[in-house]
Amino acid sequence: MDVSRREFLKLSTAIAGAMVLPACTLNTARQTQDGYYYELTAEPATAELVPGYQTDVLGFSGQIPAPTIRCRQGEKVTIRFTNKLNEPTTIHWHGLRIPIEMDGVPFLSQPPIMPGETFVYEFTPPDAGTFWYHPHMNSVVQLGMGLVGAIVVEEAEPVQFDAEQVMLLKHWHLDEQGRWKQLMVPRLSARMGTPGEWGTVNGKHEPTYELPQHAMTRLRLANVDNTITYPIAVEGIQAWIVAIDGNPVREPMKLEQHKIGPGMRLDLAVEAPAAGQAFQVVQMKGRFAFPMATFRSVGSDLVPGKLIPSIPLNPIPAPDLANAEVRHFVFEWEGAVTPASANGKTVPKFWLMNKRAWEGMSKANIPAPLASLEQGKTYIFDLKNVTQYHHPIHLHGHTFTVLEMDGKPVEPFHTDTVLLGKNGHAKAAFVADNPGRWMYHCHVIEHMKTGLMGYIEVA
């Protein structure tokens, strides 16, 4: 259960000193004079994903869906994280421009958090929006079995919607009795990835939510799937895009259909219909719509005709395009299986970034970066996908300003993950203002696992 946006705003403004959020949100969650404080674990648990059956899962604080962490732009948040798994893990805060020490990539930014150990993440988010969190170790298994959650950063000056719903979109690799199937099939890893078969929103198959009639509602969608790209549409009501990947757009845009690849987010504004009426968020497959969640309106004293609240833009540094340096990145297929490793297991490598497959790393072996960038300088990344499969390309610690998609100029927009379709091409600029070694990879987890990953160094 999440704290609603209205409840969060009410609690945040009513008590300036300390406050206690509902216990169902996290083990411990409170606001203090030093910012927001949470306690979080990763641990084995069970969940009823397929109705009538229990499935062994991995859950943040043992929960599916994971607790939604809420904090505020420009205010410190502290997450005291304890690893209760039987293997090492970390947490990466996807989309947040935070110091490298808090980025959650093992060896590159922090030591792995061993079983039983606690690590304290502390950062002050400069941007408001919809983000998410997940491990960056044994990612196929840890994400695939449930270690995914939302982090919502409220605007520094409250933006007043009447209602809100966080929606974590995920397909699980389960059969009809909730038993696990293979999370990764190598021959599929060399294509689009291994898709799950049981679709859920917040761990429920086709859930129904209630909204007050005429409530101006913010829907925060996050694709936390290992593999699947969701073409999102809304049926039964007009929806408006108000933010892409955590970053507000300058003017709301009518939603027709919008693709969100793994790791990507989409914020929509809708005015709930009159009591008794409903609308659906759907996934498009060609011309056919498949329901993901239904929203039904119930009686309230709200009246129709509200304007969509204005959401301030995030303080993304403006790129100096006149003096930008262009760096080229080509994402392609290698199509090979490496020889067996020392323990006799084959290690598949299918994908290349600039003719390099990610070779892995350890404390004593950090590979060379894909690119070394000068701190404070503007760069344009020219991204080319020369394969027939989609690649959502994610850069840690920075936010892109997308300039072109598939050879055509676009109204510039901000994102941390650029979705390249079949033979797709994009140009994205950013100011390399955050020093560190930043992971840079495809967010189809199997593509990342089998070669499509590296890092850039900013110094």
Side-chain angles (χ1 to χ4, degrees):
M1 177 178 175
D2 296 334
V3 181
S4 75
R5 189 168 193 277
R6 174 172 280 183
E7 289 167 340
F8 178 88
L9 293 173
K10 187 186 298 181
L11 288 167
S12 295
T13 55
I15 305 174
M19 75 173 185
V20 177
L21 300 180
C24 56
T25 303
L26 286 176
N27 293 346
T28 304
R30 64 179 183 270
Q31 186 184 13
T32 71
Q33 292 180 343
D34 195 33
Y36 296 87
Y37 175 85
Y38 294 93
E39 291 186 5
L40 187 68
T41 65
E43 58 188 89
T46 58
E48 188 177 309
L49 298 168
V50 178
Y53 299 94
Q54 291 293 315
T55 299
D56 291 329
V57 298
L58 304 178
F60 282 115
S61 295
Q63 299 178 30
I64 303 292
T68 295
I69 294 175
R70 288 184 176 266
C71 53
R72 189 175 298 284
Q73 182 182 25
E75 297 184 19
K76 189 172 82 169
V77 58
T78 301
I79 301 103
R80 187 176 184 273
F81 171 68
T82 300
N83 179 13
K84 294 186 177 181
L85 305 175
N86 62 3
E87 63 181 8
T89 192
T90 61
I91 302 182
H92 168 58
W93 311 95
H94 183 112
L96 290 176
R97 297 185 297 132
I98 55 180
I100 186 65
E101 297 81 8
M102 298 292 112
D103 193 53
V105 176
F107 307 115
L108 203 62
S109 62
Q110 71 172 97
I113 304 168
M114 304 304 290
E117 289 184 349
T118 294
F119 185 89
V120 178
Y121 290 97
E122 288 185 339
F123 50 84
T124 300
D127 305 319
T130 304
F131 306 96
W132 66 295
Y133 62 99
H134 63 83
H136 237 291
M137 293 199 72
N138 193 14
S139 299
V140 170
V141 172
Q142 292 191 13
L143 276 72
M145 292 187 68
L147 288 175
V148 291
I151 175 167
V152 172
V153 183
E154 296 284 342
E155 292 77 13
E157 296 297 327
V159 176
Q160 298 290 351
F161 282 83
D162 298 315
E164 177 181 289
Q165 181 63 55
V166 174
M167 302 173 64
L168 298 180
L169 313 181
K170 179 174 173 60
H171 275 67
W172 301 77
H173 296 69
L174 300 176
D175 67 13
E176 65 278 1
Q177 294 183 328
R179 295 172 298 203
W180 286 105
K181 304 176 75 171
Q182 279 186 271
L183 294 171
M184 176 178 171
V185 178
R187 65 181 176 81
L188 298 179
S189 303
R191 296 175 174 84
M192 66 171 284
T194 308
E197 298 178 15
W198 185 248
T200 65
V201 175
N202 297 334
K204 301 294 182 183
H205 184 64
E206 298 181 16
T208 296
Y209 300 101
E210 290 187 346
L211 292 174
Q213 67 172 347
H214 310 310
M216 181 56 68
T217 304
R218 185 172 186 169
L219 303 180
R220 298 180 182 266
L221 284 70
N223 182 350
V224 300
D225 199 89
N226 278 20
T227 301
I228 293 173
T229 291
Y230 295 96
I232 296 296
V234 172
E235 294 192 336
I237 201 169
Q238 180 61 59
W240 298 79
I241 297 172
V242 293
I244 296 172
D245 294 331
N247 288 281
V249 296
R250 292 187 180 278
E251 296 290 339
M253 302 182 296
K254 277 188 177 181
L255 173 70
E256 302 297 337
Q257 185 181 134
H258 185 91
K259 290 182 179 180
I260 53 175
M264 301 175 76
R265 290 88 66 213
L266 183 68
D267 283 28
L268 301 177
V270 298
E271 183 182 295
Q277 298 182 20
F279 66 93
Q280 288 185 320
V281 176
V282 300
Q283 173 189 6
M284 301 300 298
K285 296 183 181 179
R287 294 181 293 108
F288 300 99
F290 291 81
M292 302 181 76
T294 299
F295 290 83
R296 298 191 182 280
S297 292
V298 297
S300 77
D301 57 2
L302 296 174
V303 296
K306 281 191 174 182
L307 295 176
I308 297 173
S310 176
I311 305 175
L313 300 179
N314 283 326
I316 307 300
D320 178 9
L321 298 179
N323 296 295
E325 181 178 332
V326 179
R327 297 292 181 96
H328 298 274
F329 294 92
V330 177
F331 309 95
E332 59 187 327
W333 189 65
E334 181 180 39
V337 176
T338 63
S341 60
N343 62 7
K345 296 177 66 176
T346 57
V347 183
K349 287 186 179 178
F350 300 119
W351 301 98
L352 302 172
M353 190 185 304
N354 284 359
K355 302 188 184 300
R356 280 180 59 186
W358 178 242
E359 54 265 46
M361 62 183 168
S362 63
K363 181 179 179 180
N365 179 31
I366 305 296
L370 283 164
S372 295
L373 309 182
E374 180 182 337
Q375 186 177 347
K377 188 173 179 177
T378 294
Y379 294 86
I380 296 174
F381 278 15
D382 187 293
L383 311 172
K384 291 183 179 179
N385 173 19
V386 295
T387 78
Q388 66 191 89
Y389 302 105
H390 65 265
H391 297 298
I393 303 301
H394 174 53
L395 175 62
H396 291 205
H398 296 80
T399 297
F400 288 123
T401 299
V402 179
L403 307 173
E404 292 184 14
M405 291 294 294
D406 296 324
K408 298 179 181 179
V410 296
E411 179 69 25
F413 64 94
H414 300 309
T415 180
D416 51 74
T417 309
V418 179
L419 181 61
L420 301 176
K422 177 182 178 181
N423 296 318
H425 180 204
K427 291 184 179 180
F430 70 101
V431 180
D433 63 342
N434 200 355
R437 296 180 298 191
W438 298 102
M439 193 58 71
Y440 176 47
H441 61 92
C442 176
H443 225 287
V444 174
I445 301 302
E446 290 163 78
H447 291 178
M448 177 182 80
K449 180 77 172 177
T450 57
L452 247 184
M453 183 162 69
Y455 73 92
I456 65 168
E457 187 169 36
V458 177

